[in-house]
Structure formats: C-alpha cells, structure tokens
Amino acid sequence: MSDLDLLAQIAPSILTADFGNLAQQVRDADAGGAGLWHLDVMDGHFVPPLSFGKEVIAAVRAATPRFIEAHLMVERPGEQFADMAQAGAQRLVFHYEAAGTPATRAEAARALAMQAHDLGCEAGIAINPVTPVEALYPLLDTLDEVLVMLIRPGWGGQQANLDLLDKVRALRAHLTAEGRAMAINVDGGVKPANARACAEAGASILVAGSAVFNATQTPQQALAELHGALAR
C-alpha cells in the first residue's frame, strides 16, 4: 500500500447504482473499501438533470455507518440544508456559483457555510470548471472541504479534464503555505487510469460513480481496482 492509498479516500456516488437494490449496493461498496459516500442532489435548474432528495439520503444513511456528504447541485442550497442534515448528511457541499449574485457571492458563500455549521454539519464548497480556485481563498477559514469539478456538473460518465488538476495543485500549495489542513475533493470522470494523478495533485477524496457502479464489475471489484491504481 502506498502513501497515496493511505491519504486518498474513494467516495462512491450512487447516480449509476441499481436503485432497486440500493441498500445492498451500498453494503457491497462498503465491503470493498468505500471511504465515505458522496450523494449528488440535483434540482433540474442549477443543472438540467433531476436526481433525488432527502429520502434517498436517508436510505443510504440507514445502509451504512460511513460518513455521508451531500453535494447540492441546486439553485438555492440553503433551503435544503436542514432536510439534508435531518436525513443523515454530515457534510453539506454547495456550489460557489449558486451563492448569491456575482457581487455578493463571497458574503453569501460564507453565510451558507455558517448555516451548515449551525446545523451540526461540515461545510464544503464546489467550483465548476470555469471558476478559478483563487476565488475561494478568502473563504477557506469557514470551510471543511473544497470540491473541484473535473467536468461540467450534472451528468455522469463524462471524461475528466485533467488540466483542471492544476486547481488542486494550486489549492494544496496555498493550504500548505498557510499551515491549514483541509480535504480537497475531485469529482467527475475519476477512473483507475487517472486516480493516481488526482491523488498526486493533492486530492484527498476521489468521487467515483460509474467507475464503482457499472455493468461489468461488482462494487468490490471496482473499488479494488481503484485502490490498486493508487497503490502502484
């Protein structure tokens, strides 16, 4: 096992899981070494697809003892925070682009992070490919995680844009210079072929959806392959 395998956790996303057999799929992935769960909530407005809400969060919570983060790809994330927390999410991740207007974004993002903390949850913030990571630097004191999207959010199965790992490198260097410890999450197109590159760039959490839940492998086999890629 390499240092990368020790430092980087795999966070399965259930968008491509078998929802008719969801509890067993979650248990199978836990048995395969899932580090935590990443649940994508989409409202059909911030991103075109519509996924699921608090009921599915609660169903996953009932099936696993692992940490759960809810990734809210929604226009008004604060309106869903209480429901997500009550359903069992322990970290609430909202999009920087969904926080207020461009003129009030930093202030609105800080308020959302505080709202998450007031509910007893950790606060995470996600950025789309077009958003520079430097926009988040003034907010880092309020956050527990930064999520860097490697694809346009909303659709599974896209190919990761590995050029966007430069954001991860820049953020990790900035955090190190400040002496600040924080989780950096990458989301979108993570596969065995690029998992090591993501971890080497400084990501500590790798979200994997179709790489874990697909028609050719069991979740245990898929997770073993991802962990093997980190350990090479």
Side-chain angles (χ1 to χ4, degrees):
M1 182 177 291
S2 73
D3 288 343
L4 291 178
D5 199 36
L6 290 169
L7 293 173
Q9 293 183 297
I10 306 298
S13 164
I14 63 171
L15 287 179
T16 58
D18 176 5
F19 275 61
N21 194 29
L22 183 58
Q24 188 60 51
Q25 294 258 280
V26 170
R27 289 191 290 267
D28 288 346
D30 278 355
L36 68 154
W37 285 90
H38 179 92
L39 305 183
D40 293 301
V41 177
M42 298 184 282
D43 65 356
H45 297 285
F46 182 75
V47 293
L50 184 68
S51 62
F52 51 77
K54 62 182 180 180
E55 293 81 9
V56 171
I57 305 285
V60 175
R61 176 75 287 159
T64 179
R66 301 283 200 274
F67 190 91
I68 292 175
E69 62 179 16
H71 177 192
L72 300 176
M73 289 177 266
V74 303
E75 282 189 345
R76 294 181 291 277
E79 294 181 5
Q80 298 197 35
F81 276 9
D83 282 345
M84 297 296 112
Q86 186 175 15
Q90 294 153 283
R91 180 157 55 223
L92 305 175
V93 184
F94 60 93
H95 271 260
Y96 177 75
E97 299 84 4
T101 65
T104 64
R105 193 144 287 159
E107 180 182 354
R110 184 174 291 275
L112 284 167
M114 292 175 63
Q115 182 183 348
H117 289 148
D118 287 344
L119 288 165
C121 295
E122 293 188 6
I125 196 166
I127 52 171
N128 288 345
V130 297
T131 300
V133 72
E134 291 79 9
L136 304 184
Y137 290 177
L139 303 171
L140 294 177
D141 64 310
T142 67
L143 299 170
D144 301 289
E145 176 188 85
V146 170
L147 188 159
V148 176
M149 296 297 303
L150 302 181
I151 60 171
R152 289 178 58 215
W155 295 269
Q158 298 180 64
Q159 183 173 347
N161 179 354
L162 297 185
D163 289 342
L164 294 170
L165 291 177
D166 285 344
K167 293 185 184 182
V168 176
R169 296 184 185 96
L171 177 58
R172 182 58 71 195
H174 181 80
L175 290 169
T176 299
E178 287 199 334
R180 190 187 302 276
M182 181 178 295
I184 301 178
N185 187 330
V186 290
D187 185 2
V190 172
K191 308 287 184 187
N194 59 36
R196 187 175 180 88
C198 293
E200 287 177 336
S204 50
I205 299 172
L206 315 182
V207 175
S210 58
V212 173
F213 298 109
N214 57 69
T216 62
Q217 299 169 297
T218 67
Q220 294 99 317
Q221 291 169 333
L223 282 158
E225 190 172 351
L226 283 163
H227 284 297
L230 291 173
R232 290 192 194 110

